[in-house]
Amino acid sequence: MKPLSPSSIRVPFARYSHGAEVPAGQRLVFCSGQLGIAADGTIPERAREQADLCFANIAAILAEAGMTLADIVRINAYVTDRAHMKGYMESRDAHVGTPPPASTLMVVSGFTLPEFKVEIEVVAAAPEKRRKPARGITAPKF
């Protein structure tokens, strides 16, 4: 990812890039919004803990595609109150790579359950996987 931060506009308010360029030949993964809920159905009380769970869920999704949180190029995050911004931002800063991805944070009125305080969705990009030729099989000669 190539961060895009033109000198003609104000620097970002926090640790994010104004834009992110994905080079040609990259695979893209689009993750649905993840909520702060553990596999056993528990929902932590604090926004930071919920955001940490969101990123853990996202890491599991990206792992299915052979990617990590360092491959994130875009984040859309939602919190239910400005008071939850700090916890979310601490979590984001602890989990994303450098350079930081493009990012948007919105305050929304709520989610499917009132216990949820944070939802995070991402786009990740990584180089195409190169396939190894099968052993013992040679290409036909024409």
Side-chain angles (χ1 to χ4, degrees), residues 47 79 81-91 105-107:
V79 296
D81 192 288
R82 282 181 177 80
H84 305 316
M85 289 172 56
K86 182 177 187 248
Y88 158 73
M89 291 170 71
E90 287 171 353
S91 181
L105 174 60
M106 291 179 267
V107 179

Side-chain angles (χ1 to χ4, degrees), residues 4 15 17 64 85 94 107 118:
L4 304 173
R15 190 172 175 271
S17 298
E64 289 281 314
M85 289 172 56
V107 179
V118 179

Side-chain angles (χ1 to χ4, degrees), residues 2-141:
K2 176 183 173 186
L4 304 173
S5 293
S7 60
S8 61
I9 63 176
R10 188 190 184 286
V11 297
F13 288 101
R15 190 172 175 271
Y16 63 89
S17 298
H18 280 302
E21 180 180 347
V22 176
Q26 298 273 305
R27 298 178 298 120
L28 296 176
V29 171
F30 296 83
C31 292
S32 295
Q34 297 299 303
L35 294 162
I37 187 168
D40 65 5
T42 58
I43 302 169
E45 174 63 30
R46 294 181 36 221
R48 168 65 195 259
E49 293 166 340
Q50 287 190 21
D52 287 342
L53 267 174
C54 292
F55 280 111
N57 293 343
I58 290 165
I61 295 164
L62 294 177
E64 289 281 314
M67 295 184 190
T68 70
L69 295 175
D71 295 312
I72 295 172
V73 297
R74 173 87 180 126
I75 299 174
N76 288 333
Y78 312 89
V79 296
T80 56
D81 192 288
R82 282 181 177 80
H84 305 316
M85 289 172 56
K86 182 177 187 248
Y88 158 73
M89 291 170 71
E90 287 171 353
S91 181
R92 179 200 62 200
D93 292 351
H95 290 88
V96 300
T98 299
S103 182
T104 297
L105 174 60
M106 291 179 267
V107 179
V108 297
S109 62
F111 302 115
T112 54
L113 294 175
E115 295 86 359
F116 292 127
K117 296 176 170 81
V118 179
E119 184 171 347
I120 303 169
E121 61 186 33
V122 306
V123 176
E128 282 290 340
K129 291 182 181 179
R130 293 189 178 187
R131 295 184 181 203
K132 295 180 183 177
R135 290 187 221 184
I137 299 175
T138 57
K141 296 183 188 213

